[in-house]
Amino acid sequence: MVTISSLFKILSCTDHVDYAIIVIALSSVVWYIWLYAKSKRQPHPLPPGPWGLPIIGNLPLLKPELHTYFQGLAKEHGPIFKLWLGSKLAIVVSSSEVAREILRTNDIIFANHDVPAVALINTYGGIDIAWSPYGPRWRMLRKLCVNRILSNVRLDSSVGLRRGETRGTVRYLADQARAGSQVNLGEQIFVMILNVVTQMLWGATVEEEEREIVGAEFLELVQEMNDLLMVPNISDFFPALNRFDLQGLAKRMRGLAQRLDRLFDRVINQRLGMDKGSEGKGEDFLEVLLKIKDEEEGQTNLNMNDVKALLMNMVLGGTDSSLHVIEFAMAELINKPDIMKRAQQELDEVVGKDKIVEESHIPKLPYILAIMKETLRLHMVAPLLIPHRPSQTTVVGGFTIPKDSKVFINVWAIHRNPNVWENPLEFDPNRFLDKSYDFNGNDFNYIPFGAGRRICVGMAMGERIVLYNIATLLHSFDWQLPRGERMEVEEKFGIALKLKNPLLTTPVLRLSDPNLYL
Ligand code: HEM
């Protein structure tokens, strides 16, 4: 919880803090009265919400698990309510109807993301897709990604890069199975997905021996950056104080960003120094991006920082999201052996126990797809999406949403609405066999990849990675907990929603031929 004392401790690093606090307190009281009077004059008031304190607003009461905290507040204040996070107004939306008004009816107005202060530092000033403001440049970057990098044709051509990494993990797990050893499945999935994603990014560039070193360094940097992004930052609550960097977060992020930049340079220089192509390994994303940069400099105006910022999006977007979906799915299935059996039955019928799963099998596996959809319903990866930011003051649900407020859409709560989902807390893939929900953001009761202009750009890649890896893990092994044990599938809020407890389990080989594990 963000405590009042910790906030004042931060403020007290300056001299004359007592006077400053009195001045700020008085001005904020005047400001509140002014806001209140102004909102009364407007035909559409601000949304309701809990009372906050002067200056810090509702900050002291925030709980770390924001999605459940917001769900609780929605029961009291309705499907659209407000909170003051310091001087920043936050609007929280918890119904599919209001989400629709924002992401469909007023899509263009809400098409900006609200950028945290430190996120600008590790993305070369926010020039990537996720943080670029809506406009021609953002459109160009999205088009480039959708048509040239994450298109189905491109994803088809990198099947080999993905397959090799997944097979490597199967080999390791098979060794553990033969030894009867327990594994931390979450850790294995993490390494597997990170390798799969970095393979696609620069797998045909970085030599085998160096890949492990680059991977380890990369992993450390990405984790530290994610941790830093989760620290409540006074610069976000009081943008006017941003330049003082009172908690030193910007400084720490700059250090990490410089290290990451050097790592990118190392990989890019290796690619530029290669006189031949990728020698049959398939084109990696880096190669494609550098080609686009050189061939179409006039049209796209991409420079080297743009290339690095896009790589950054792919790594952060590609790893964290996919790996948590796979981990939650496996945790749910290990707790529900009947569902696991049914999935394995489908795999045995379509693939057979004498072959290994290929990506080409995926369209013939509707039950595995239903497992992915149900996992994304119950354990939404980005429970509040990436907060949006309206470019002009707008009326939504009868309330005024001021320009530049921070809009959280609590999709996690929408996905558990008992008026739409029968037994919403139950993990039941069957509900997706009966109803044809897709990922495209057309039905606002189910929007795991978001909706509207800012819908996830990596949806096709995420779908492939998740389905192929869940199918492989279920087809190659039986998974169980020690007799009589059950694990609670609990969530931990973060950049992405994570499984709270480690998933410790012992794999058991299930294919007919030991050579299928080589
Ligand atoms: C199962 C996997 C994934 C899930 C559940 C997921 C989910 C999401 C969600 C909910 C958003 C926010 C939408 C919004 O703010 O309205 C998003 C945005 C984004 N995702 Fe994903 N994602 C996944 C995989 C990926 C992959 C594989 C990549 C990249 C290769 C990626 C890159 C991005 C980017 C760049 C954005 C920002 C888009 C923009 O601002 O225009 N994601 N994703």
Side-chain angles (χ1 to χ4, degrees), residues 285-447:
F285 287 179
L286 176 59
E287 191 174 348
V288 179
L289 274 172
L290 291 174
K291 256 191 206 159
I292 294 171
K293 175 185 159 295
D294 291 342
E295 284 167 13
E296 302 169 33
E297 207 148 356
Q299 286 173 40
T300 57
N301 253 332
L302 279 197
N303 62 32
M304 207 50 106
N305 279 354
D306 295 315
V307 170
K308 292 175 185 172
L310 285 176
L311 287 178
M312 186 78 192
N313 269 175
M314 312 268 162
V315 174
L316 292 184
T319 43
D320 235 22
S321 45
S322 313
L323 85 92
H324 295 303
V325 187
I326 302 173
E327 196 182 7
F328 272 118
M330 292 305 291
E332 290 287 0
L333 295 187
I334 286 171
N335 263 348
K336 293 221 158 61
D338 290 351
I339 299 181
M340 187 183 305
K341 247 192 213 113
R342 175 150 179 213
Q344 287 174 326
Q345 205 176 329
E346 179 179 82
L347 285 159
D348 293 347
E349 281 162 17
V350 174
V351 182
K353 271 186 161 175
D354 55 347
K355 293 196 192 68
I356 55 175
V357 180
E358 303 292 350
E359 276 190 25
S360 54
H361 291 119
I362 297 301
K364 295 174 227 152
L365 299 169
Y367 196 66
I368 302 287
L369 177 61
I371 287 175
M372 175 179 175
K373 286 183 175 174
E374 177 64 343
T375 308
L376 280 169
R377 181 192 69 81
L378 198 56
H379 307 293
M380 172 71 192
V381 169
L384 305 171
L385 299 183
I386 303 172
H388 288 235
R389 177 179 180 146
S391 54
Q392 65 185 64
T393 299
T394 312
V395 173
V396 170
F399 296 108
T400 295
I401 311 293
K403 177 177 186 258
D404 288 341
S405 41
K406 187 182 187 96
V407 178
F408 293 101
I409 300 186
N410 194 347
V411 179
W412 185 89
I414 293 173
H415 282 182
R416 290 169 177 233
N417 179 357
N419 299 326
V420 176
W421 305 97
E422 213 180 310
N423 298 326
L425 304 187
E426 174 118 1
F427 183 84
D428 177 13
N430 282 333
R431 64 177 98 235
F432 285 100
L433 293 177
D434 304 339
K435 284 210 182 100
S436 59
Y437 283 103
D438 60 30
F439 294 136
N440 296 331
N442 293 321
D443 186 330
F444 282 79
N445 289 308
Y446 185 66
I447 48 171

Side-chain angles (χ1 to χ4, degrees), residues 26-42:
L26 283 176
S27 17
S28 66
V29 170
V30 174
W31 182 58
Y32 268 111
I33 294 170
W34 177 76
L35 264 181
Y36 182 74
K38 189 177 159 210
S39 101
K40 282 277 153 203
R41 280 199 308 272
Q42 280 177 353

